[in-house]
Amino acid sequence: MSQSALMSPPPTTGQVIRTSLPDTFDGIRYEIGKMVNYVVQAASDPFMIEHTRAIVDNYSQAAAMSGASLAGVDPRGLAMEALETWCRQHYAYVNDPPNIEVIQTPKRMVKQTMIPAEVTRDVMAPIFEAMTIALGPAVAEYEVPGLTAGDCDEGSTLMNAHCAAWGNGSSEMSAGETDNRIRPIRFRFGGNGGTLHHVWARPYLGEQGIDSDLTEPGYNLGDYSKFEQYEEVEVKL
Amino acid sequence: MSSLGLEKTSKMDYDLNRLTERVLDARTDHIYFDFSRVIGPQYAKMVEGFSTAEGNRIAAHNNKTLFLEAIDLWCRKRLGAAQEASGGKKIQDPRDAIVYAMKPWYEALELDNPSEYKMKRREPAPIYVGDEADAVATMMGLVACLDITPMRFVFGGRKENGKDSYERVWAKIKADGNWYDSDIMTQGVLGDRPDFPHYKEVEVAL
């Protein structure tokens, strides 16, 4: 497997890249490489930078309007909370097809959440018709959420891409100024019996890693599943 | 004799190879894949919302039974027995029904800001007039995209003079620990099983 394939740019809109992966640890390494690469690309993507800025700004404003005091709050912690909340509201966990590894770019996933409700209704028209017969006119009032779906690779890449992009593109820092970006950003892998079979995001606030596992609906920031082994892979930004 | 217990030249044996390929091909077809990921989770969210409002919450999270129900329901009404005369063009390939459904979704995704997409007036949904078994295999392929497995073809028929004779094929799929018959080519709902004196089930190796 060539290094150029691993570090090739992410697929553009409408592009699908198919790659045969060996059924060995090389295949897993390739997948991890893709996840890391997609986060790196997202970090400098103006679309992702603007998207994350808007999420955090809206979250901060909502918090301020609700009377919460943000004085003394680490802006990186607040941003991480805002970004995770957004991801949880818009990401649905699904498995990949058997023996097929699929990974979408975070940008594609975000764009899916922006697809107008009337489009989703049109795709699902037969289902809405059946639901209307079963439940009545309330179905017409139903607010279709903006969703994207993916497995744990995609969920962790989505969250890490958000953290990597937030705060990027702002003016250059002067010497001695604190970097207010969320760094470092790592993927954390967990598994049992000598294998790693689950992955989640682990962005850091300085020295402190904050686990974020979107695939677990009841988890808060900092929660993670118990495994026999853990490994972390840092995204070089 | 084949592994099905049928003579190699029998129609159903020929169909099984082709049908299995159709299921396997669907797993790597990005249109099937995106479509499943749209309608499964969206339907599950909708059920969660309405069931919560009724005080009997059904969780959407990776609820494969609801994902399966969404695909079964959609396929019944666009490929199967619950199709309505829409005036749409007739199609032979079930994939064309999915391509039609996803066209605005992909058009929106092409935009820098998909929220700015405006739906255009559309032709009526196409009417599927192709092979019933192909529709069944397509439905199974969509289900496989969400890793709802294992899955089987079920052949319904009778034994005549010691030989199997099959008249119908439908799907049987395991979701969240329970097996469901899915016969989109007859009126009914997920879980209904057609009545035949003899059945044969063949698992699809995914």
Side-chain angles (χ1 to χ4, degrees):
Chain A
M1 189 173 305
S2 71
Q3 182 71 9
S4 61
L6 184 67
M7 294 311 292
S8 63
T12 54
T13 300
Q15 189 184 10
V16 178
I17 298 175
R18 294 191 171 83
T19 309
S20 298
L21 296 182
D23 193 17
T24 64
F25 205 79
D26 274 350
I28 297 169
R29 262 199 295 271
Y30 181 86
E31 190 68 14
I32 295 169
K34 276 290 173 199
M35 292 157 62
V36 167
N37 189 21
Y38 286 2
V39 172
V40 170
Q41 297 283 339
S44 58
D45 185 329
F47 174 91
M48 290 298 292
I49 292 168
E50 173 54 26
H51 165 71
T52 53
R53 187 198 58 75
I55 290 171
V56 176
D57 285 357
N58 290 341
Y59 190 82
S60 304
Q61 283 169 17
M65 285 173 69
S66 70
S69 169
L70 301 180
V73 174
D74 184 335
R76 298 170 302 168
L78 186 73
M80 205 183 282
E81 193 178 288
L83 297 170
E84 206 215 31
T85 300
W86 187 92
C87 287
R88 283 195 177 276
Q89 286 168 345
H90 294 86
Y91 162 84
Y93 174 68
V94 295
N95 293 120
D96 278 347
N99 299 314
I100 304 286
E101 195 55 57
V102 178
I103 184 155
Q104 304 179 88
T105 64
K107 181 176 182 177
R108 187 178 197 265
M109 296 178 78
V110 171
K111 285 177 78 176
Q112 288 170 26
T113 70
M114 299 162 69
I115 288 178
E118 66 170 341
V119 173
T120 306
R121 277 186 178 269
D122 192 69
V123 174
M124 298 177 68
I127 294 175
F128 274 94
E129 288 162 17
M131 292 288 277
T132 301
I133 292 168
L135 298 172
V139 174
E141 307 295 319
Y142 176 73
E143 269 188 50
V144 177
L147 290 183
T148 185
D151 70 350
C152 61
D153 297 359
E154 289 164 301
S156 57
T157 304
L158 183 71
M159 175 62 185
N160 271 347
H162 275 74
C163 291
W166 178 74
N168 254 6
S170 52
S171 56
E172 291 294 316
M173 285 181 299
S174 55
E177 196 177 347
T178 310
D179 187 349
N180 270 337
R181 294 176 300 179
I182 300 168
R183 298 287 186 274
I185 287 169
R186 294 182 182 165
F187 287 98
R188 194 175 193 195
F189 296 83
N192 301 319
T195 66
L196 299 172
H197 54 81
H198 186 46
V199 60
W200 59 97
R202 195 166 203 233
Y204 275 67
L205 292 179
E207 299 289 307
Q208 188 188 359
I210 313 288
D211 296 277
S212 166
D213 187 351
L214 301 180
T215 69
E216 294 289 348
Y219 280 17
N220 296 312
L221 264 178
D223 293 343
Y224 61 96
S225 299
K226 302 299 171 226
F227 290 102
E228 291 171 9
Q229 296 99 28
Y230 299 94
E231 278 187 33
E232 293 187 24
V233 172
E234 184 164 334
V235 180
K236 301 289 182 200
L237 293 164
Chain B
M1 296 290 280
S2 72
S3 58
L4 237 189
L6 304 171
E7 290 181 20
K8 286 251 185 236
T9 53
S10 74
K11 178 177 177 295
M12 196 58 77
D13 192 34
Y14 168 77
D15 281 350
L16 183 62
N17 294 331
R18 189 167 57 82
L19 297 178
T20 300
E21 253 178 51
R22 189 175 272 278
V23 177
L24 297 178
D25 288 349
R27 287 179 316 164
T28 55
D29 186 324
H30 74 281
I31 292 180
Y32 283 69
F33 173 79
D34 283 329
F35 176 76
S36 297
R37 283 185 166 198
V38 172
I39 73 166
Q42 281 286 1
Y43 176 71
K45 278 278 183 194
M46 187 159 46
V47 170
E48 182 179 86
F50 283 109
S51 62
T52 302
E54 291 172 356
N56 183 28
R57 181 176 182 268
I58 299 169
H61 177 69
N62 203 22
N63 189 324
K64 292 188 175 183
T65 308
L66 292 180
F67 297 168
L68 170 60
E69 192 169 61
I71 293 168
D72 173 276
L73 189 54
W74 193 96
C75 290
R76 277 175 200 275
K77 290 178 80 79
R78 282 293 185 266
L79 301 173
Q83 284 192 96
E84 290 165 6
S86 67
K89 73 171 185 178
K90 293 178 176 166
I91 54 170
Q92 297 278 343
D93 185 345
R95 188 178 185 274
D96 291 343
I98 297 160
V99 170
Y100 169 88
M102 289 296 279
K103 190 166 182 280
W105 193 88
Y106 283 117
E107 286 174 350
L109 205 60
E110 288 279 334
L111 301 182
D112 290 337
N113 181 356
S115 66
E116 291 175 351
Y117 180 76
K118 302 287 180 226
M119 281 284 288
K120 301 170 192 77
R121 189 178 169 81
R122 306 195 72 197
E123 289 183 1
I127 304 290
Y128 180 65
V129 294
D131 190 323
E132 292 191 357
D134 284 344
V136 171
T138 296
M139 189 279 292
M140 294 168 76
L142 290 167
V143 168
C145 285
L146 296 175
D147 191 28
I148 305 171
T149 56
M151 58 177 56
R152 296 172 184 165
F153 288 108
V154 186
F155 298 93
R158 59 197 78 246
K159 270 194 182 295
E160 287 176 342
N161 304 321
K163 290 183 75 173
D164 295 342
S165 171
Y166 297 108
E167 298 163 34
R168 297 277 324 289
V169 59
W170 63 94
K172 188 173 177 181
I173 297 158
K174 195 173 188 181
D176 300 324
N178 299 308
W179 284 98
Y180 297 91
D181 287 278
S182 170
D183 181 13
I184 62 170
M185 304 313 293
T186 56
Q187 295 287 350
V189 295
L190 179 68
D192 290 350
R193 186 180 176 93
D195 191 21
F196 284 98
H198 182 60
Y199 302 96
K200 178 157 266 182
E201 298 186 0
V202 182
E203 188 144 334
V204 180
L206 292 164

